[in-house]
Amino acid sequence: MRIETLAITSTRFEDKNAGSVASPIFLSTTFERETDGSYANGYIYTRADNPNRQTLEKSIASLENGAVGFAFASGMQATTALFQSLEPGNHIITPNDAYFATNVLIQEVFSRWGLEMTMVDMTNPENIRAAIRPNTRLVWIETPSNPQLKISDITAIAAIAHENDALCVVDNTWASPVGQQPLNLDADIVMHSTTKYFGGHSDVLGGALVLKKDNELAQKLRDIQKLTGGVPSPFDCWLITRGIKTLPLRVKAQTENAYKLSLFLENHPEIEAVHYPGLPSHPQYAIAKKQMLGFGAMLSVQVKGNEQKAMEITGKLKLFTTATSLGGVESLVEHRKSVEGIHSSTPENLLRVSVGLENIDDMIEDWNNALAL
Ligand SMILES: *Cc1c(COP(=O)(O)O)cnc(C)c1O
């Protein structure tokens, strides 16, 4: 089945009691046990499993063409669970242009757990080969990267990871399975912040891991999920499941808007550079074209001028709300360097843009006005 159909069928909960078409929300934390000690429907306690979570996990796994999925209370909790499945002394290779908190989590928390980390520029796979150590167990890819939209070659990097007995994980939050399916490109695991495109309405926090195989690692993650309890509530699962139904249509429409906006901005005299993988001028356009199904709805621009000039423009934009996060129906803009802090290597004149579902002509007008001197 195609992704638009899967988004509808995989999120349907078959309600045998009332026959409801929309899914019920199962708020119950506990489920009835039979006199023989069994559980009629397999549910025992909501930290371990819940009908809404199971529907969500199966749906996300099917959208990413994986064998098994795990839902968490946030993207960072999904990342945490994966790192917790590693052993002290293991080494991780991460991108130097990754979601800021991913690298900080390793530096601040998992260094005390004994995890070692090397950050590299992943636009050249040879940098990963050079960073491999005997104890490297995980290569973390984020493509397109945050906030500079760098593209890494998933298949090439997965091959290097596998030659060295390491797993290849892709944070696929920005592309969503509509724009990129890493498990079909030889990655082993996909991570998502479902807070973004899956939820799609900026009103629910969530995360997920999808594994290509239901193997020993999957069992380990199932245990970690159940024991640590960093799970989404039934209502959170319900909201994300509801979001999935329109995910393919939203992402396609937002991607089209992002492409048109990037073309407009690229030709504007007040813009120094536009970073969008769908532009032929993007340095890794060829790789993006090869591995992406759509170029996504995120872009960043470097304005002509300094940090203050960039901040001023965010104030002049009326349609683009100045706020962090991405993937919702409403367009957002954010000055990244001032969010990431003094150690950030993000250019001071860079604005990150999450393109929403408003009319593209209104978006272009808004930027045109904001960039007018
Ligand atoms: C938002 C985000 C995360 C973290 O997810 P939360 O749901 O905020 O915990 C991780 N990676 C990327 C690329 C993100 O955009």
Side-chain angles (χ1 to χ4, degrees), residues 73-77 79 98-99 101-102 140 142 144 146 171-174 191-196 205-207 325-326 352:
S74 69
M76 291 311 297
Q77 184 60 37
T79 302
Y99 183 72
T102 305
W140 184 281
E142 191 182 314
N146 182 6
D171 180 340
N172 203 31
T173 300
W174 277 33
M191 175 265 166
H192 273 290
S193 166
T194 52
T195 312
K196 315 295 167 55
L205 207 64
S325 200
L326 58 120
R352 190 182 80 178

Side-chain angles (χ1 to χ4, degrees), residues 129-177:
R129 199 186 297 283
I132 292 269
R133 298 181 195 164
N135 56 340
T136 303
R137 284 294 153 266
L138 206 126
V139 178
W140 184 281
I141 304 175
E142 191 182 314
T143 181
S145 74
N146 182 6
Q148 298 195 50
L149 284 290
K150 292 179 185 172
I151 301 294
S152 311
D153 188 331
I154 296 173
T155 308
I157 296 171
I160 296 169
H162 295 156
E163 277 166 35
N164 293 281
D165 281 330
L167 293 166
C168 175
V169 186
V170 178
D171 180 340
N172 203 31
T173 300
W174 277 33
S176 93

